[in-house]
Amino acid sequence: MSQIDPLLLELDIPTPIEKINCEKINLLLKREDQNHPSVQGNKWRKLKYNLLEYFKEDYKGIVSFGGAFSNHVYATASACQILQIPCKLFLRGYALDYQNPTVKFIIDCGVEIELLQPSDYRLKTDSAFINILEDQNYYIIPEGGTNDLGIKGVSELGEEIVQQCAPLPDYVCVAAGTGGTAIGLIKAFANVDTRVIVFSSLKGDFLRDAISAEVHGLDFELITDYHFGGYGKFSRELISFCNLFKDENNISLEPVYTGKMMYGLYEMIKADYFLS
């Protein structure tokens, strides 16, 4: 049994699907927040095969990247602490906010943090920078966990939904940052009549090209109207929506990804998008 096997056994149990109160359509929510307290949701799906790959070789540790509010760096720090993997995280920003709960958690996990200013952070995929990390014998997981192994893990989420739902849903909605989860779901539903709707948490339409390049003509829809100013940005209106959603459904939404997606989805339901 490898070091990761106990965590695999704990996290590979299918998460439940719950019905959400909605007058106009049959709305179901896949509770990926229940698979683990800290290595949570789609982040576990993306990390799973990367962690298995890490243990195949004698690496120095794991390196990854993200913003100060990144769920990916949070989950990566937690998984590395649990599995006793040395970890170094490059965070985007000008200064560390030690009151930020994500930053505090990463530090508590014993992870090494290196801060990169935005201009330097953009160079994180340059071959010269990657070569330095590879020469130091680090296993590199890209920002958001989006690589072939991450997409493989997310595809299993789609397969799980297919097994749990009868009949299959007409639509599957997903929040997106780097687009890796969306890519995995689009591929998983390629051969059934389920359309994937992707809600971008980032400002701009560039995610369309990034996803299209990976799904090779498979159908999907990208919604870019509910980013609330961009990644990590939100408004009082969004926070009020998240609080109301919790009061009505006893389910917490975070405002960076899932809150924006559900807000946008509710707006589309109000406009009878799914009844046309």
Side-chain angles (χ1 to χ4, degrees):
M1 179 178 285
S2 73
Q3 288 177 267
I4 194 176
D5 283 341
L7 192 61
L8 278 171
L9 293 172
E10 179 182 355
L11 288 168
D12 274 358
I13 299 171
T15 53
I17 294 178
E18 295 184 14
K19 183 174 176 58
I20 302 299
N21 293 327
C22 184
E23 294 181 358
K24 292 189 174 183
I25 65 171
N26 186 29
L27 182 60
L28 304 173
L29 188 63
K30 177 76 163 150
R31 294 299 305 275
E32 286 290 276
D33 59 312
Q34 293 189 355
N35 57 6
H36 193 271
S38 54
V39 192
Q40 197 174 85
N42 67 326
K43 300 309 175 185
W44 160 246
R45 306 276 183 176
K46 290 181 178 181
L47 286 171
K48 173 182 174 180
Y49 288 105
N50 278 291
L51 293 170
L52 288 169
E53 190 69 20
Y54 169 83
F55 281 111
K56 290 180 181 179
E57 304 288 343
D58 186 23
Y59 288 102
K60 177 180 179 179
I62 282 177
V63 159
S64 198
F65 312 84
F69 293 94
S70 168
N71 293 331
H72 165 68
V73 297
Y74 188 103
T76 302
S78 179
C80 287
Q81 181 190 41
I82 292 168
L83 298 171
Q84 300 181 349
I85 300 172
C87 181
K88 181 175 184 177
L89 296 172
F90 290 92
L91 299 187
R92 181 182 62 249
Y94 293 103
L96 277 182
D97 177 8
Y98 292 97
Q99 300 305 310
N100 178 326
T102 300
V103 172
K104 290 174 68 176
F105 179 81
I106 292 170
I107 292 172
D108 288 343
C109 287
V111 167
E112 181 183 354
I113 296 175
E114 185 166 334
L115 196 65
L116 294 178
Q117 294 189 8
S119 58
D120 295 327
Y121 189 82
R122 296 187 194 102
L123 304 177
K124 66 185 180 300
T125 56
D126 282 10
S127 58
F129 184 64
I130 295 299
N131 288 340
I132 292 173
L133 295 175
E134 289 178 342
D135 288 343
Q136 294 174 350
N137 198 30
Y138 280 109
Y139 182 84
I140 303 168
I141 301 177
E143 183 179 31
T146 298
N147 57 10
D148 289 343
L149 292 174
I151 291 169
K152 177 182 178 182
V154 175
S155 296
E156 293 180 348
L157 169 61
E159 295 164 5
E160 203 172 283
I161 293 172
V162 169
Q163 294 169 0
Q164 288 177 295
C165 290
L168 288 177
D170 296 315
Y171 300 90
V172 167
C173 299
V174 59
T178 58
T181 303
I183 292 166
L185 289 176
I186 292 164
K187 290 183 176 182
F189 289 102
N191 297 317
V192 297
D193 292 328
T194 298
R195 183 174 175 82
V196 177
I197 301 179
V198 183
F199 288 82
S200 177
S201 295
L202 287 74
K203 190 175 183 178
D205 196 47
F206 60 90
L207 200 56
R208 187 183 311 279
D209 291 338
I211 294 174
S212 296
E214 296 294 332
V215 300
H216 308 296
L218 296 177
D219 186 41
F220 70 97
E221 183 170 0
L222 179 68
I223 305 296
T224 59
D225 299 327
Y226 304 104
H227 54 73
F228 286 87
Y231 177 77
K233 296 183 179 180
F234 38 84
S235 68
R236 290 182 180 178
E237 182 182 15
L238 178 61
I239 298 300
S240 295
F241 171 82
C242 293
N243 290 337
L244 180 61
F245 188 90
K246 181 171 184 182
D247 290 343
E248 293 180 348
N249 300 285
N250 197 30
I251 297 173
S252 297
L253 301 175
E254 42 76 29
V256 179
Y257 293 106
T258 56
K260 293 179 179 181
M261 179 194 72
M262 292 304 296
Y263 181 97
L265 177 59
Y266 270 50
E267 290 298 299
M268 293 170 70
I269 292 171
K270 290 177 187 176
D272 291 333
Y273 175 92
F274 299 101
L275 299 180
S276 58

